[in-house]
Amino acid sequence: ANFRIFYCLENSIRELISEALEEHHGVDWWNSAISPAVRTAAEDLRKKEIDMGAVPRSEELLDYTTFGELSTIIEQNKEAFEGRFTSFKAVNRVLWQLNMLRGPIAHCKPLAEDEILRLHLSLRDWFRAMGE
């Protein structure tokens, strides 16, 4: 159940970022709105997957970014997210919290009761930051 919650939340966050940046910067937003450091990290991770013989997880380079990088993307493109969040600080805090929870969840490790609570609170905090 925790994996499903996290999976849905992570994908909805990436979708929101992609939509906001495309709306604000156009279809070439990855090249025009994303810092070279974040682009390079995502491109390197995708290349590493390919070099390992794995099927690439996605055609979208945004899917190769960490929650920390997603936070950076939002911070560096605040104008694209105006009106979408009640607080950029809250969004940043939630993304960093999710980044900490991601490891155990992605590797199918059981979460301690406190961490399950933290995941559910992060989910609530995310929607609160979106004004929902």
Side-chain angles (χ1 to χ4, degrees):
N2 296 322
F3 181 83
R4 281 188 299 239
I5 291 168
F6 197 88
Y7 176 85
C8 291
L9 179 59
E10 181 174 354
N11 283 314
S12 70
I13 291 169
R14 291 179 193 283
E15 185 177 318
L16 173 100
I17 290 170
S18 178
E19 287 174 1
L21 292 177
E22 183 171 342
E23 185 179 300
H24 194 78
H25 295 283
V27 293
D28 194 36
W29 62 266
W30 179 258
N31 293 311
S32 63
I34 306 301
S35 72
V38 172
R39 282 198 322 262
T40 299
E43 291 160 0
D44 288 350
L45 184 54
R46 185 167 194 281
K47 184 178 183 324
K48 184 177 180 180
E49 278 188 4
I50 292 168
D51 289 346
M52 295 295 292
V55 175
R57 69 181 84 165
S58 175
E59 292 298 316
E60 300 299 323
L61 287 166
L62 186 64
D63 292 336
Y64 290 88
T65 56
T66 65
F67 277 107
E69 291 164 339
L70 293 176
S71 183
T72 298
I73 289 169
I74 291 170
E75 182 68 29
Q76 292 176 344
N77 290 279
K78 281 184 175 178
E79 69 284 350
F81 297 96
E82 288 296 331
R84 294 180 188 260
F85 299 123
T86 57
S87 166
F88 286 106
K89 285 183 180 182
V91 167
N92 185 48
R93 189 187 61 74
V94 170
L95 290 175
W96 283 105
Q97 185 68 51
L98 290 170
N99 199 42
M100 298 301 295
L101 291 167
R102 188 178 199 283
I105 293 171
H107 296 286
C108 300
K109 300 294 181 198
L111 289 179
E113 189 177 323
D114 286 354
E115 299 310 311
I116 293 170
L117 180 59
R118 201 175 322 279
L119 172 62
H120 288 268
L121 289 173
S122 294
L123 179 65
R124 289 179 186 175
D125 290 346
W126 172 256
F127 287 111
R128 189 175 301 111
M130 290 181 58
E132 296 181 11

